[in-house]
């Protein structure tokens, strides 16, 4: 499984970037222009595989992440989905819960069959790289289903879970079931690591977090481990703050993606549980570059040097990020000398 096996070799730190494929790359923009909408790209296996490999060809990164989106699950469940240029996702009406509960999820997943074909192509082409499949965590996917797109206030989703708690639990249940089936199919198709993105975990109170973040992520982890004990699982409960300590107590994952504001006990706790930490350069610093970026990268390498560490960002690459800042970042990491005690 490529470099993940050499995770103890500090002079060979594995690297990838969240949203490493996408608009900041000229070769992606060219392909997008030729091939049409973002969703058309996701559902065209040859092209989606090519896009997934673009950052690998350019930067020789260690991990390939499937090119798709977390919102293909609402789409598979019958919710209309469009991506509007410059605006983001727009979702249509949501089916009644009773109807959603009666759906045959295996049949729903056939609607997004191209995703598995993309993984099949990547499995053939991956060489020594490690292939990552992914889904959104139930709460984050539910957020988009209820908000019908990107939201700043998250008012609709917070109203929904606070006023219609039972309904929210039922929808979470549907999403965790289909997510497990979806990830199992991705593993069968070739994914070697799976990552579950809970991008909006940070908006919940402690009690809500236990119910809507910890429990569904734990369910997914346990179910995947039951069928595939050797598959590495990654979780990203973004902006959890101190709640992440409870998260790793209950979700026995292999890899934890961390943002910038993690509690100071996390490194010790991760070590105790043999969890690899993945992160955590800010995409804004990557965008700005220069000496500030260089200093921060070295600080991160030093900070995580006593842990198993995969270098990554704290969130996705921003569309205006200069390509040379990515080259520079990789260069700094690959030339960093760990035995020097300064940061
Ligand atoms: O215009 C374009 O070309 C589309 C932009 C784009 C891209 C490149 C979107 C729309 N999604 C993606 C790909 C994507 N999304 C990947 C591909 C693999 C890679 O990392 O290279 C992944 C893993 C995602 C996951 C995803 N989609 C998340 C979780 C991670 C995160 O960034 O927090 C979320 C929240 C989404 C929703 C989404 N997809 C796209 C947009 C604009 C949004 C909304 C984001 C928001 O609400 O702020």
């Amino acid at each position: 499984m490529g470099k993940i096996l050499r995770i103890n070799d500090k002079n060979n730190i594995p690297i990838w970037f969240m949203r490493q494929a996408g608009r900041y790359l000229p070769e992606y923009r060219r392909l997008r222009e030729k091939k049409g909408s973002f969703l058309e790209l996701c559902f065209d296996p040859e092209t989606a595989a090519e896009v997934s490999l673009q950052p690998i060809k350019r930067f020789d990164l260690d991990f390939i992440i499937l090119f798709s989106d977390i919102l293909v699950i609402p789409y598979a469940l019958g919710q209309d989905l469009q991506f509007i240029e410059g605006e983001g996702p727009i979702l249509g009406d949501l089916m009644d819960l009773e109807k959603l509960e009666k759906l045959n999820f295996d049949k729903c997943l056939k609607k997004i069959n191209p995703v598995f074909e993309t993984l099949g192509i990547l499995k053939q082409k991956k060489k020594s790289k490690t292939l990552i499949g992914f889904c959104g965590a139930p709460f984050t996917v539910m957020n988009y289903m209820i908000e019908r797109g990107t939201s700043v206030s998250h008012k609709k989703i917070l109203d929904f879970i606070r006023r219609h708690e039972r309904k929210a639990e039922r929808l979470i249940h549907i999403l965790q079931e289909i997510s497990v089936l979806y990830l199992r199919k991705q593993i069968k198709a070739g994914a070697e690591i799976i990552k579950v993105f809970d991008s909006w975990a940070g908006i919940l109170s402690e009690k809500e977090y236990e119910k809507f973040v910890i429990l569904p992520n734990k369910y997914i982890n346990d179910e995947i481990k039951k069928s595939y004990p050797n598959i590495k699982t990654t979780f990203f409960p973004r902006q959890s703050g101190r709640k992440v300590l409870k998260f790793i107590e209950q979700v026995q994952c292999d890899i934890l993606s961390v943002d910038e504001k993690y509690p100071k006990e996390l490194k010790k706790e991760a070590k105790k549980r043999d969890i690899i930490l993945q992160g955590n350069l800010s995409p804004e610093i990557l965008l700005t570059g220069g000496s500030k970026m260089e200093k921060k990268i070295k600080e991160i390498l030093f900070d995580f040097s006593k842990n198993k560490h995969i270098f990554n960002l704290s969130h996705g690459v921003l569309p205006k990020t200069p390509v040379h800042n990515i080259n520079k970042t990789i260069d700094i990491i690959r030339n960093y000398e760990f035995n020097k005690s300064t940061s």
Side-chain angles (χ1 to χ4, degrees):
M1 202 187 282
K3 254 194 182 176
I4 193 91
L5 292 178
R6 300 201 302 270
I7 194 98
N8 285 320
D9 178 0
K10 278 291 168 198
N11 292 314
N12 211 345
I13 242 184
I15 311 171
W16 71 282
F17 294 86
M18 255 186 265
R19 298 268 187 112
Q20 61 192 17
R23 265 175 298 171
Y24 76 101
L25 283 177
E27 56 271 38
Y28 172 81
R29 294 197 297 269
R30 278 198 295 275
L31 212 56
R32 257 303 294 279
E33 246 168 59
K34 216 164 74 188
K35 296 282 176 179
S37 75
F38 170 66
L39 262 190
E40 281 169 319
L41 218 64
C42 292
F43 293 147
D44 171 351
E46 288 293 339
T47 315
E50 190 180 338
V51 172
S52 311
L53 291 169
Q54 281 176 344
I56 314 303
K57 287 186 181 141
R58 196 187 258 267
F59 307 115
D60 192 31
L61 297 162
D62 299 297
F63 298 79
I64 305 166
I65 181 158
L66 162 74
F67 189 77
S68 178
D69 196 81
I70 62 167
L71 299 179
V72 298
I73 286 299
Y75 175 78
L77 288 169
Q79 197 171 9
D80 195 39
L81 171 66
Q82 279 181 286
F83 284 88
I84 312 286
E85 209 58 59
E87 256 188 71
I90 306 284
L91 291 92
D93 289 343
L94 186 61
M95 230 184 259
D96 292 340
L97 269 174
E98 288 71 23
K99 282 193 187 143
L100 283 172
E101 281 165 339
K102 287 198 189 105
L103 289 172
N104 174 331
F105 297 148
D106 268 320
K107 219 166 136 190
C108 293
L109 291 172
K110 293 219 164 76
K111 216 174 142 185
I112 55 170
N113 212 41
V115 171
F116 311 115
E117 287 175 39
T118 306
L119 283 166
I121 298 168
L122 290 171
K123 186 183 174 183
Q124 300 295 317
K125 296 191 171 172
K126 68 179 212 66
K127 298 187 184 142
S128 66
K129 307 298 182 187
T130 305
L131 183 54
I132 308 173
F134 70 90
C135 71
F139 176 68
T140 286
V141 174
M142 179 165 84
N143 166 78
Y144 286 98
M145 291 172 90
I146 300 295
E147 295 285 346
R148 311 283 181 86
T150 298
S151 164
V152 179
S153 69
H154 298 275
K155 186 174 179 322
K156 290 193 192 118
I157 183 67
L158 291 174
D159 270 1
F160 183 63
I161 63 165
R162 287 167 192 170
R163 292 194 194 175
H164 306 280
E165 192 175 355
R166 182 62 201 129
K167 279 190 178 167
E169 285 169 13
R170 285 166 67 195
L171 188 48
I172 287 282
H173 184 80
I174 291 166
L175 289 168
Q176 68 183 27
E177 289 299 329
I178 194 167
S179 300
V180 167
L181 293 178
Y182 181 44
L183 291 174
R184 283 201 192 119
K185 282 184 79 140
Q186 291 190 42
I187 294 165
K188 269 194 209 134
E192 299 164 283
I193 288 190
I194 55 111
K195 177 160 180 179
V196 180
F197 288 92
D198 219 344
S199 306
W200 298 113
I203 67 172
L204 297 177
S205 71
E206 195 145 345
K207 229 169 136 204
E208 291 161 349
Y209 183 91
E210 282 198 17
K211 182 180 276 180
F212 295 113
V213 173
I214 295 185
L215 290 181
N217 280 294
K218 175 176 165 52
Y219 179 81
I220 292 174
N221 190 60
D222 291 350
E223 287 300 304
I224 293 300
K225 288 286 181 188
K226 262 190 231 161
S227 359
Y228 296 101
N230 296 324
I231 286 288
K232 300 257 180 267
T233 57
T234 310
F235 287 82
F236 182 38
R238 190 168 75 96
Q239 291 180 343
S240 292
R242 296 193 59 77
K243 297 196 277 305
V244 75
L245 298 171
K246 259 204 180 135
F247 186 96
I248 57 167
E249 247 174 50
Q250 298 200 43
V251 185
Q252 278 155 19
C253 56
D254 300 290
I255 304 167
L256 183 79
S257 246
V258 286
D259 55 48
E260 287 135 84
K261 291 200 180 125
Y262 61 88
K264 64 176 187 319
E265 300 95 315
L266 180 64
K267 283 187 276 193
K268 198 178 91 207
E269 288 301 317
K271 211 168 164 176
K272 201 168 87 191
R273 295 169 204 277
D274 202 26
I275 294 173
I276 300 167
L277 295 178
Q278 175 172 278
N280 69 344
L281 181 68
S282 125
E284 286 79 16
I285 292 183
L286 184 67
L287 176 87
T288 317
S291 59
K292 192 173 164 199
M293 179 181 89
E294 190 159 338
K295 183 164 172 271
K296 190 67 203 175
I297 294 166
K298 289 178 181 168
E299 264 170 34
I300 291 170
L301 292 169
F302 181 73
D303 277 353
F304 289 103
S305 60
K306 293 200 171 63
N307 284 87
K308 291 182 178 174
H309 182 213
I310 297 172
F311 193 92
N312 205 312
L313 302 181
S314 57
H315 205 187
V317 177
L318 296 165
K320 294 213 163 78
T321 303
V323 170
H324 63 85
N325 284 355
I326 308 240
N327 284 313
K328 180 77 188 163
T329 299
I330 296 167
D331 211 44
I332 295 168
I333 300 165
R334 299 224 159 118
N335 291 304
Y336 183 79
E337 288 178 43
F338 277 93
N339 46 8
K340 273 194 199 162
S341 60
T342 55
S343 59

